[in-house]
């Protein structure tokens, strides 16, 4: 189908410029002064429709129609290449690799171009099919310096608005507008302070977060009580005595509550109360989310601490058991010397069990732990730009698989790796898309079973191997892929810290 479309496109373009192609190119003087036609690009004497030195056509055009023909030719020419390359990459990867290595290259898309395009497409699909919990952080700046600067500006703005409000008449329309701006500025400052606290690794206690939530809920209750008082005062109907008594009791209780929650609530005017209630409702929602977030962060810290403690205990127990065996065999020589050896062995095991004591690793882990969301964002951004590193990481291992087969050179391994990684990109696009539409079972089956089958087929036909030779190399290649991905993840992590 692709070939037919390509032929049709090229035929159409040829018809469009048939008049131009029918004309004979005018002779051009060669560099030596002769009248024989020469190439307009390099000056070489022409003996046909194309220059044998640089490959340029002897027909020189200055037509928009011919430019359109070149565009159509480029599009459909690539299309035919793609329709040959993609099916071969999926169904006959070994033959595709071998054909390209042996020189059949015009019919297929270059492995490097295909790899770069599919890697870009894969991360593009990932951006739409996967979600990341750190996206809220990106709504502000991702730099601590910029957040600090923005926080300082917000505080300065808040102070200026409060000063302007104090100079206006009490409960005036202008003061009411300023009060709205002040509330918005306070909300922005709260969010910026929380974001800065996350970047610095400062997590408030659960009790502090719950107390702020309780204060917001108490203020909201007082405002709603004040609103009920205002509505009662506006009522034109005369209530019965029992109702009057109940309303008086409720009003007295409401005044007490409003006084406890906020002394300014009792003086809030009718035109201010609705706006204050809306603001406080947003504050209550914000503090509820904040309490849940703080609880989750503390649970995560406790879990991490428990894991570290368990690992340290297990390592210490193992080292103690080993030391006991050594003590039993060496007890006949010197018991005091053995006790000192046991203590030093336990200390060494404890040191190695805690990676944070290694200077560089400890500093990196501490930075990641205190900036988890920002580090994840940077890793997500650097993963696509550093994807090309998979090629140089994989090539040495591929060379080792064929170290005793001198007929295969590094170029062959590069073509193999590029086509293999291109297929894995296609596979991950399919897996991500299926997972997005909740076909998780099918996606899992593809992810588990397709890579080894594809590796086996590509190895066997690209390198002309037997079944057993292809099988053990496939197993080795799976481990190589795991090692390469681990190194790649480590590089991305280092670049993101």
């Amino acid at each position: 189908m692709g070939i037919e479309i390509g032929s049709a496109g090229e035929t159409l373009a040829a018809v469009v410029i048939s008049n131009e192609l029918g004309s004979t190119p005018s002779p051009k003087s060669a560099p030596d002064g002769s009248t024989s036609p020469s190439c307009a690009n390099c000056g070489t004497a022409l003996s046909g429709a194309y220059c044998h030195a640089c490959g340029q056509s002897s027909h020189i055009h200055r037509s928009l129609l011919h430019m359109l023909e070149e565009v159509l030719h480029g599009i459909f020419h690539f299309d035919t290449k793609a329709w040959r390359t993609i099916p071969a990459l999926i169904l006959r990867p070994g033959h595709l690799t071998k054909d390209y290595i042996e020189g059949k290259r015009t019919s297929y898309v270059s492995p490097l171009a295909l790899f770069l395009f599919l890697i870009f497409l894969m991360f593009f699909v990932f951006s739409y099919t996967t979600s990341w919990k750190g996206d809220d952080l990106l709504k502000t700046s991702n730099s601590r310096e910029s957040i600090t600067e923005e926080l300082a500006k917000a505080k300065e703005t808040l102070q200026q608005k409060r000063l302007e409000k104090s100079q206006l008449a009490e409960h005036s329309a202008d003061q009411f507008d300023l009060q709205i701006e002040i509330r918005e500025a306070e909300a922005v400052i709260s969010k910026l302070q929380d974001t800065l606290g996350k970047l610095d690794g400062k997590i408030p206690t659960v009790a502090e977060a719950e107390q702020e939530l309780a204060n917001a809920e108490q203020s909201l209750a007082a405002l709603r009580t004040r609103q009920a008082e205002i509505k009662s005062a506006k009522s034109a109907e005369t209530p019965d005595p029992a109702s009057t008594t109940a309303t008086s009791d409720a009003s007295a209780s409401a005044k007490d509550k409003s006084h406890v929650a906020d002394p300014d609530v009792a003086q809030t005017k009718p035109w201010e109360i609705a706006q204050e209630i809306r603001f406080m409702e947003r504050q209550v929602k914000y503090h509820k989310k904040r309490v849940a977030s703080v609880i989750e962060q503390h649970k995560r810290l406790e879990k991490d601490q428990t894991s570290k403690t368990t690992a340290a205990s297990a390592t210490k127990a193992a080292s103690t058991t080993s030391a006991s065996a050594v003590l039993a065999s060496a007890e006949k020589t010197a018991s005091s010397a053995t006790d000192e050896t046991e203590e030093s062995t336990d200390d060494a095991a404890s040191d190695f069990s805690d990676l944070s004591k290694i200077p560089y690793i400890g500093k990196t882990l501490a930075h990641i732990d205190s900036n988890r969301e920002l580090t994840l964002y940077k890793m997500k951004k650097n993963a696509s730009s550093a994807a090309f590193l998979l090629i140089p990481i994989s090539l040495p291992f591929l060379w080792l698989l064929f170290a005793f087969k001198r007929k295969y050179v590094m170029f062959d391994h590069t073509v193999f790796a590029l086509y293999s990684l291109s297929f894995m990109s296609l596979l991950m696009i399919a897996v991500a898309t299926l997972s997005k539409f909740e076909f998780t079972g099918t996606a899992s089956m593809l992810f588990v079973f397709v890579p080894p089958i594809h590796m086996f087929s590509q190895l066997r036909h690209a390198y002309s191997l037997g079944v057993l030779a292809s099988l053990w190399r496939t197993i080795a290649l799976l481990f190589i892929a795991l090692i390469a991905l681990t190194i790649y993840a480590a590089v991305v992590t280092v670049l993101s810290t």
Side-chain angles (χ1 to χ4, degrees):
M1 181 65 181
I3 298 175
E4 293 176 0
I5 294 175
S7 300
E10 292 181 356
T11 303
L12 174 63
V15 171
V16 171
I17 60 160
S18 58
N19 292 333
E20 294 187 20
L21 293 178
S23 61
T24 304
S26 57
K28 184 178 179 180
S29 299
D32 58 359
S34 63
T35 58
S36 59
S38 60
C39 177
N41 182 54
C42 64
T44 304
L46 295 172
S47 59
Y50 294 92
C51 176
H52 67 274
C54 66
Q56 178 170 293
S57 174
S58 61
H59 176 73
I60 306 301
H61 69 85
R62 295 180 67 181
S63 168
L64 290 177
L65 292 177
H66 196 96
M67 186 175 293
L68 175 63
E69 184 270 341
E70 287 184 346
V71 172
L72 290 173
H73 175 76
I75 293 173
F76 287 109
H77 187 57
F78 176 80
D79 183 70
T80 55
K81 280 188 174 185
W83 279 108
R84 292 191 192 102
T85 307
I86 299 299
L89 180 66
I90 298 173
L91 302 175
R92 301 169 57 249
H95 294 92
L96 171 64
T97 305
K98 189 173 183 179
D99 286 348
Y100 194 89
I101 290 173
E102 292 180 348
K104 191 177 180 179
R105 299 174 185 178
T106 305
S107 302
Y108 301 115
V109 180
S110 165
L112 180 59
L114 186 64
F115 168 72
L116 293 176
F117 173 75
L118 289 177
I119 282 290
F120 165 78
L121 182 62
M122 181 182 70
F123 283 102
F124 179 78
V125 172
F126 283 174
S127 65
Y128 283 94
T129 57
T130 58
S131 59
W132 179 57
K133 295 181 179 179
D135 288 337
D136 292 338
L137 180 64
L138 304 182
K139 295 179 182 178
T140 59
S141 304
N142 57 9
S143 167
R144 189 188 186 284
E145 290 75 11
S146 59
I147 293 175
T148 304
E149 182 179 353
E150 189 174 353
L151 180 59
K153 289 181 180 179
K155 288 181 177 180
E156 183 179 352
T157 301
L158 177 61
Q159 186 177 2
Q160 183 179 358
K161 296 296 181 184
R162 285 176 174 171
L163 180 61
E164 292 177 6
K165 180 186 174 184
S166 64
Q167 296 173 354
L168 296 174
E170 190 76 13
H171 300 296
S172 63
D174 292 337
Q175 193 182 59
F176 174 68
D177 293 336
L178 277 174
Q179 181 65 20
I180 295 175
E181 295 179 8
I182 288 172
R183 293 301 192 189
E184 295 296 335
E186 290 173 349
V188 170
I189 289 174
S190 297
K191 292 180 181 179
L192 288 174
Q193 286 176 337
D194 286 346
T195 303
L196 191 61
K198 289 180 181 179
L199 293 177
D200 293 339
K202 297 178 181 179
I203 304 174
T205 63
V206 177
E208 291 173 349
E210 289 178 343
Q211 182 61 46
E212 292 180 2
L213 173 60
N215 292 339
E217 289 176 338
Q218 191 175 10
S219 298
L220 178 60
L223 286 168
R224 285 175 175 167
T225 303
R226 173 62 177 162
Q227 187 181 45
E229 291 177 1
I230 294 172
K231 288 181 179 180
S232 299
K234 287 183 177 181
S235 178
E237 298 179 358
T238 304
D240 57 272
S243 176
T244 304
T245 304
T247 304
S248 301
D249 295 339
S251 300
S253 176
K255 289 181 179 179
D256 293 339
K257 290 181 180 178
S258 64
H259 179 72
V260 173
D262 188 351
D264 295 332
V265 172
Q267 281 75 40
T268 306
K269 299 302 179 182
W271 59 86
E272 299 174 340
I273 194 71
Q275 179 64 32
E276 289 294 314
I277 287 177
R278 283 195 293 270
F279 170 77
M280 197 54 63
E281 285 175 344
R282 292 200 302 267
Q283 285 295 97
V284 169
K285 289 181 181 179
Y286 169 74
H287 284 294
K288 284 182 178 179
K289 292 181 180 179
R290 187 167 181 263
V291 168
S293 176
V294 169
I295 292 174
E296 183 181 355
Q297 291 178 45
H298 279 285
K299 285 182 178 179
R300 187 171 58 189
L301 287 176
E302 290 176 1
K303 184 178 180 180
D304 292 345
Q305 188 64 33
T306 303
S307 300
K308 290 179 181 179
T309 304
T310 303
S313 301
T315 306
K316 188 173 182 179
S319 62
T320 303
T321 304
S322 176
S324 299
V326 174
L327 283 172
S329 61
E331 199 172 40
K332 296 180 181 179
T333 55
S335 59
S336 59
T338 305
D339 291 337
E340 295 176 358
T341 303
E342 181 182 3
E343 292 177 0
S344 61
T345 303
D346 289 340
D347 292 339
S350 178
D351 289 340
F352 280 105
S353 65
D354 188 2
L355 292 176
S356 62
K357 292 184 178 180
I358 301 175
Y360 178 75
I361 296 178
K363 183 179 179 180
T364 302
L365 291 176
H367 178 78
I368 292 174
D369 187 64
S370 61
N371 302 276
R372 294 191 180 191
E373 291 182 347
L374 183 59
T375 302
L376 286 175
Y377 164 66
K378 289 183 177 180
M379 289 178 68
K380 181 181 177 182
K381 187 171 66 173
N382 292 331
S384 57
S385 59
F388 71 94
L389 292 175
L390 289 169
I391 302 301
I393 292 173
S394 305
L395 287 181
F397 298 103
L398 273 175
W399 179 85
L400 287 174
L401 290 180
F402 300 93
F404 299 102
K405 291 184 177 289
R406 300 286 181 172
K407 63 178 181 178
Y408 299 117
V409 296
M410 193 60 75
F411 175 83
D412 305 341
H413 304 319
T414 304
V415 173
F416 178 92
L418 286 170
Y419 276 137
S420 180
L421 289 171
S422 298
F423 172 79
M424 295 307 165
S425 300
L426 273 178
L427 178 64
M428 294 308 299
I429 291 172
V431 168
T433 305
L434 289 171
S435 300
K436 177 67 174 180
F437 293 100
E438 299 184 354
F439 293 100
T440 53
T442 304
S444 301
M445 295 284 287
L446 289 176
F447 182 77
V448 173
F449 294 106
V450 171
I453 295 174
H454 189 272
M455 289 178 181
F456 177 84
S457 176
Q458 189 177 9
L459 280 169
R460 185 178 181 188
H461 296 98
Y463 294 103
S464 302
L465 301 174
V467 175
L468 291 178
S470 301
L471 185 61
W472 78 260
R473 283 183 172 88
T474 300
I475 298 173
L477 194 58
L478 289 171
F479 283 103
I480 289 172
L482 181 61
I483 294 171
L485 288 174
T486 303
I487 296 174
Y488 167 70
V491 172
V492 171
T493 303
V494 170
L495 292 175
S496 304
T497 55

